[in-house]
Amino acid sequence: MWSPLVVLVAALSLVLAGWAGWRAVRDQPVILRQLLAAGVVEAVLLVQVVVAAVRTAGGDGPADAATFWGYVVTTLIVLPVAAAWAFAERTRWSSVVLVVAAVTVAFLQYRCLLVWDGA
């Protein structure tokens, strides 16, 4: 894992969660721009997966590979599933779903970093 990417993904996810939370409080559904922002977070996550794979192949891998890659796969799945759900659900609950997904991504990034470092 590369710490600056972890911080970037976590920060972007928390900004997205705040934005979606604001819309949920105002009883508004997710908008297309939020789904595009989730796509940006997903793109940065894909870059991070490539970096982690290259570092692992080079011998500098996570302390617990199974747990780490399980977290990575889960992180990659959470936002697309939430985006599909939010696209289908056109109520304020779509914003709530996006909040939960974005906070989950930020938390999983923290856990990935801990597992990578062996904590």
Side-chain angles (χ1 to χ4, degrees):
M1 295 285 298
W2 191 41
S3 296
L5 270 179
V6 171
V7 171
L8 178 63
V9 169
L12 290 173
S13 294
L14 292 175
V15 167
L16 179 60
W19 185 11
W22 176 249
R23 289 191 60 85
V25 167
R26 295 176 58 207
D27 199 25
Q28 296 174 335
V30 168
I31 57 175
L32 181 60
R33 285 179 285 177
Q34 288 173 308
L35 296 179
L36 293 174
V40 169
V41 174
E42 193 73 15
V44 177
L45 280 170
L46 290 173
V47 169
Q48 187 177 55
V49 168
V50 170
V51 168
V54 168
R55 289 188 66 185
T56 299
D60 180 28
D64 182 0
T67 301
F68 174 78
W69 289 107
Y71 281 145
V72 168
V73 168
T74 303
T75 303
L76 288 173
I77 292 172
V78 168
L79 280 176
V81 168
W85 187 341
F87 186 74
E89 176 72 35
R90 300 308 304 154
T91 66
R92 83 183 273 252
W93 292 105
S94 63
S95 293
V96 173
V97 167
L98 193 57
V99 168
V100 171
V103 170
T104 300
V105 167
F107 176 76
L108 286 173
Q109 285 300 291
Y110 170 70
R111 286 296 301 147
C112 281
L113 187 61
L114 290 179
V115 170
W116 185 276
D117 291 337

